[in-house]
Amino acid sequence: GAVVSQHPSRVICKSGTSVKIECRSLDFQATTMFWYRQFPKQSLMLMATSNEGSKATYEQGVEKDKFLINHASLTLSTLTVTSAHPEDSSFYICSAGSQNSYEQYFGPGTRLTVT
Amino acid sequence: AQSVTQPDIHITVSEGASLELRCNYSYGATPYLFWYVQSPGQGLQLLLKYFSGDTLVQGIKGFEAEFKRSQSSFNLRKPSVHWSDAAEYFCAVGPSGGYNKLIFGAGTRLAVHP
């Protein structure tokens, strides 16, 4: 199957700072990338969908100015958590898909801790 | 509205026993169905998928699932569970809306007793 990587795998930042998470599709062109948030022992919550070269589509209740998503190329999407607060601490997972398939390939996730 | 229900939040089985994880969906058309597995602190790995054709789908790690349209179900089965199967299992249905979004169930946590 296709490989998706995320970097970093873990990050700790201070409250008020911003942190960027990268999601890369290593062996295919990802026309669409999805960003999820997962709280402990809960399911994945879709935050936004991004298509290469266009603005991301955010799910209801997700602050687009706080969670900045960029999908500048077919292999890279970034999620920037701006002015992070402790309540933003969570597990963030990206997935990538191509226009020829309904499958999504998931990255290994990034554990964000805001102190 | 489209939705996925996994009725069992937590299941415990003995190693070597058979396993069935339930998944029911609500979807207006023919769905694409997926089962993913997540180990602690990890991303999701695709176990199997159903798009069309044979309703009994074989996946990796000895798992299979059966699509039953009349019951709106896509239950995951394994004849003999291994201790390494302990993980969180998610059922998903799609596409939802544009861009092939998936709708996930709440997940079932599987514990395996030796």
Side-chain angles (χ1 to χ4, degrees):
Chain A
V3 179
V4 176
S5 69
Q6 277 185 246
H7 177 79
S9 57
R10 291 177 178 270
V11 58
I12 300 173
C13 69
K14 293 184 181 297
S15 185
T17 62
S18 296
V19 61
K20 180 184 287 187
I21 302 170
E22 292 186 350
C23 177
R24 293 182 184 272
S25 60
L26 300 184
D27 52 3
F28 73 104
Q29 294 185 329
T31 52
T32 306
M33 285 187 171
F34 304 86
W35 285 96
Y36 297 86
R37 183 174 181 175
Q38 186 180 32
F39 291 104
K41 299 184 179 182
Q42 294 190 25
S43 188
L44 282 71
M45 182 192 78
L46 180 64
M47 300 174 64
T49 303
S50 72
N51 285 290
E52 184 263 341
S54 62
K55 290 184 178 180
T57 301
Y58 290 81
E59 295 299 302
Q60 190 172 7
V62 178
E63 299 177 61
K64 62 180 180 181
D65 294 330
K66 180 169 186 61
F67 298 100
L68 301 179
I69 291 172
N70 183 278
H71 191 167
S73 77
L74 287 172
T75 59
L76 173 65
S77 177
T78 59
L79 167 67
T80 301
V81 183
T82 63
S83 186
H85 291 281
E87 56 265 32
D88 297 325
S89 298
S90 190
F91 194 54
Y92 292 87
I93 304 176
C94 74
S95 70
S98 68
Q99 61 185 12
N100 298 321
S101 172
Y102 289 109
E103 288 189 51
Q104 292 184 24
Y105 303 97
F106 285 82
T110 296
R111 172 75 58 194
L112 170 63
T113 303
V114 184
T115 61
Chain B
Q2 299 162 345
S3 65
V4 177
T5 302
Q6 292 181 246
D8 305 305
I9 297 174
H10 192 276
I11 283 182
T12 300
V13 300
S14 297
E15 190 170 17
S18 63
L19 172 70
E20 181 170 36
L21 302 183
R22 295 183 291 166
C23 173
N24 293 96
Y25 64 88
S26 174
Y27 196 79
T30 301
Y32 295 153
L33 295 157
F34 306 83
W35 274 100
Y36 289 91
V37 60
Q38 183 182 35
S39 297
Q42 302 295 317
L44 275 65
Q45 181 183 22
L46 179 67
L47 286 175
L48 46 77
K49 63 192 179 201
Y50 171 79
F51 285 177
S52 65
D54 192 347
T55 56
L56 183 62
V57 181
Q58 301 297 320
I60 62 171
K61 305 184 179 185
F63 286 92
E64 67 177 27
E66 186 170 13
F67 170 56
K68 293 185 177 180
R69 185 188 300 275
S70 61
Q71 299 178 18
S72 296
S73 69
F74 189 57
N75 294 348
L76 182 71
R77 300 193 295 251
K78 186 169 185 177
S80 178
V81 172
H82 189 263
W83 64 266
S84 61
D85 293 324
E88 186 88 21
Y89 292 80
F90 292 98
C91 180
V93 64
S96 175
Y99 307 122
N100 301 338
K101 292 193 295 186
L102 296 179
I103 299 173
F104 283 86
T108 297
R109 182 169 296 276
L110 173 66
V112 180
H113 279 175

